[in-house]
């Protein structure tokens, strides 16, 4: 008797769940948003307590001192995220932030804050931030599929906009009606809720990277390599990667040219033109709307074709808009330029984040994220004193032009590297050869 033929039934792959409908991603997003709002409230409380406890110069020292350990230890935070796994690091560091801030809130109920106490809090917070930021940035590939990472970056950008809009005013109201103690206590409570949400986030196994030798989710501490070796190994990995090496250079140049003029430079420009705080507020609001629009575009579309090329061209377009801000004659036109800066720079930044997380091998993700964060939050703020001194010597126009040129150099440099120019997000069509 002949055997009956077997029928091959094709298996339909399970459709990919959009990130904005994934409860696990939304838990991570809510935790990230609450953490950022808590950061804003914390800095408002620290600034107010420092201003009441010392001179303006001493208050400035308190606010600046926390940036030192964050910049110095940021790369080490990436090593720990890869060594122990980002989930452990992000939960541990968020718990530490919660305990420290609630403790200072309790102390302020019974005594006036001394400068040394505030400096100590700022230092501890800076150290914990150096651990938290690379780890939380390395989590998205572990909670969603590669095809959804651009959408996650868009949602993350929207969360940043929400936190910026709500955190500052909330901190100001808390300080006004309850003093620094109430503001610190609220920041600690926000960190506590963020911690609970992070604990509830499910971490799935990472697929092996496309490059041979990709790591898995398992921590790397069993390899026996020391932290310094792991750090230098991560830097070598970035330097030799055909996409990540150029991408880090683009991030570094773009941030150095962007942060100074769009923060301190804009304040000095508004004073020079007589636009006042109201005029500056309109420009900042327009920038926020543009950046929010870019984040919404990524969140809705999920991916853009020719992501590397679009990122580089967006960075160049945003740089032209930065230069235009200093030369338009009215607040309305400056707001239009600010809208273009937010839209183009926001799109470039979102694509930078998505490309970083999709092309990096899993075992290096914490270290690569720490390098990108080091440029954005560690090195770029150092441009503030340089921007202020340059404006004092040459005025706002030349400074904005130089800053725009630095940003444009980042985008142009990215176009010069074939690997980055042709980089695609998962699901995008490969760029044609040539």
């Amino acid at each position: 008797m002949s055997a009956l033929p077997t029928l091959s039934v094709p298996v339909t792959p399970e459709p990919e769940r959009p990130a904005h409908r994934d409860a696990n991603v939304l838990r991570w997003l809510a935790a990230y948003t609450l953490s950022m709002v808590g950061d804003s409230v914390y800095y408002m409380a620290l600034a107010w307590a420092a201003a009441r406890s010392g001179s303006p110069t001493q208050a400035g020292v308190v606010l600046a001192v926390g940036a030192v350990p964050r910049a110095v230890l940021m790369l080490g935070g990436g090593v720990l995220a890869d060594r122990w796994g980002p989930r452990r690091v992000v939960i541990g560091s968020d718990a530490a932030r919660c305990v420290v801030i609630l403790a200072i809130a309790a102390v302020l109920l019974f005594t006036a804050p001394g400068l040394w106490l505030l400096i100590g809090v700022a230092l501890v917070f800076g150290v914990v931030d150096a651990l938290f930021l690379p780890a939380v940035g390395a989590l998205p590939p572990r909670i969603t599929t590669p095809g959804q990472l651009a959408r996650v970056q868009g949602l993350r950008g929207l969360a940043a906009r929400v936190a910026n809009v709500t955190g500052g005013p909330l901190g100001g109201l808390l300080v006004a009606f309850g003093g620094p103690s109430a503001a610190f206590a609220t920041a600690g409570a926000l960190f506590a809720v963020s911690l609970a949400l992070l604990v509830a986030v499910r971490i799935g196994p990472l697929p092996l990277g496309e490059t041979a030798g990709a790591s898995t989710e398992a921590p790397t501490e069993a390899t026996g390599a020391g932290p310094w070796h792991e750090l230098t190994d991560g830097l070598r990995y970035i330097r030799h990667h055909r996409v990540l090496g150029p991408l880090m250079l683009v991030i570094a140049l773009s941030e150095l040219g962007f942060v100074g003029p769009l923060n301190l430079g804009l304040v000095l420009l508004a004073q020079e033109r007589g636009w006042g705080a109201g005029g500056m507020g309109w420009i900042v609001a327009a920038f926020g709307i543009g950046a929010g629009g870019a984040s919404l575009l990524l969140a809705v579309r999920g991916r853009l074709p020719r992501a590397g090329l679009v990122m580089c061209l967006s960075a160049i377009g945003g740089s032209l808009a930065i230069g235009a801000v200093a030369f338009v004659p009215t607040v309305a036109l400056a707001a239009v330029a600010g809208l273009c800066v937010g839209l183009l720079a926001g799109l470039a930044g979102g694509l930078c984040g998505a490309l970083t997380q999709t092309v990096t091998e899993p075992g290096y993700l914490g270290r690569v994220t720490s390098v990108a964060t080091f440029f954005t939050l560690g090195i770029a703020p150092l441009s503030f004193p340089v921007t202020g001194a340059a404006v004092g010597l040459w005025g706002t126009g030349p400074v904005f032009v130089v800053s725009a040129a630095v940003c444009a150099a980042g985008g142009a440099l990215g176009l010069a590297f074939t690997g980055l120019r042709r980089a695609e997000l998962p699901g995008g069509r490969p760029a044609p050869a040539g």
Side-chain angles (χ1 to χ4, degrees):
M1 181 180 293
S2 60
L4 293 175
T6 57
L7 297 178
S8 177
V9 180
V11 178
T12 303
E14 184 179 349
E16 196 172 65
R17 178 180 298 177
H20 61 280
R21 297 178 182 174
D22 188 333
N24 200 45
V25 172
L26 295 178
R27 278 192 293 270
W28 172 85
L29 185 67
Y32 178 76
T33 305
L34 291 173
S35 178
M36 290 194 68
V37 175
D39 278 345
S40 296
V41 174
Y42 156 76
Y43 283 114
M44 180 68 71
L46 185 67
W48 188 261
R52 291 181 59 182
S53 302
S55 66
T57 300
Q58 291 172 323
V61 169
V62 171
L63 293 178
V65 74
V68 175
R70 185 174 63 187
V72 171
L73 301 176
M74 184 74 70
L75 299 182
V79 170
L80 292 180
D82 286 335
R83 190 176 180 86
W84 295 341
R87 178 185 175 86
R88 298 182 192 178
V89 176
V90 77
I91 289 176
S93 55
D94 213 22
R97 296 201 303 176
C98 178
V99 170
V100 169
I101 301 307
L102 290 178
I104 187 64
V107 169
L108 294 185
L109 287 175
F110 304 102
T111 183
L115 282 175
W116 286 110
L117 175 63
L118 296 176
I119 287 174
V121 170
L123 283 171
V124 171
F125 201 87
V127 170
V128 175
D129 252 5
L131 303 177
F132 178 82
L133 292 171
V136 77
L139 277 179
R142 291 164 166 83
I143 61 176
T144 190
T145 57
Q148 293 299 311
L149 287 175
R151 186 169 274 133
V152 169
Q153 290 301 312
L155 293 172
R156 185 177 181 179
L158 289 174
R161 302 276 78 79
V162 170
N164 291 338
V165 169
T166 61
L170 176 61
L173 288 173
L174 289 167
V175 167
F177 291 102
S181 178
F184 278 123
T186 302
L190 289 169
F191 292 144
V193 178
S194 170
L195 175 62
L197 289 169
L198 286 171
V199 170
V201 171
R202 299 188 309 276
I203 303 297
L206 276 171
L208 290 177
E210 294 179 0
T211 307
S215 308
T216 62
E217 167 66 7
T220 59
E221 58 186 336
T223 62
W228 179 254
H229 174 79
E230 292 179 23
L231 174 59
T232 56
D233 179 49
L235 296 177
R236 276 194 303 270
Y237 170 74
I238 293 172
R239 187 174 71 248
H240 295 298
H241 198 287
R242 62 194 297 267
V243 175
L244 288 175
L247 186 58
M248 292 301 119
L249 293 176
V250 172
I251 292 173
L253 288 173
S254 298
E255 289 294 331
L256 283 173
F258 174 84
V259 170
L262 265 296
N263 288 275
L264 179 60
L266 191 57
V267 175
L268 299 177
L269 177 66
Q271 291 178 346
E272 181 182 288
R273 296 292 181 85
W275 292 342
M280 187 185 71
W282 281 109
I283 301 171
V284 171
F287 168 81
I289 292 171
S295 298
L296 186 61
L297 173 64
L298 286 175
V300 171
R301 287 290 303 272
R303 63 173 63 94
L304 292 177
R306 303 181 69 93
L309 178 62
V310 172
M311 182 207 71
C312 295
L313 293 178
S314 297
I316 294 173
S319 69
L320 297 177
I322 289 174
V325 171
F327 294 96
V328 294
T330 65
V331 171
L333 290 176
V336 172
L339 179 72
C340 294
V341 173
L343 180 62
L344 294 170
L347 182 59
L351 290 174
C352 275
L355 285 170
T356 297
Q357 294 185 340
T358 54
V359 304
T360 303
E361 292 183 10
Y364 289 97
L365 192 54
R367 280 165 285 181
V368 172
T369 303
S370 72
V371 171
T373 310
F374 176 74
F375 286 129
T376 57
L377 297 179
I379 296 298
L382 298 180
S383 64
F384 289 163
V386 176
T387 299
V391 169
L393 289 173
W394 300 298
T396 55
V399 171
F400 271 73
V401 168
V402 171
S403 297
V406 173
C407 286
L413 184 66
L415 290 175
F417 287 90
T418 304
L420 179 56
R421 187 176 67 248
R422 296 181 180 172
E424 289 282 0
L425 295 173
R429 292 184 301 175

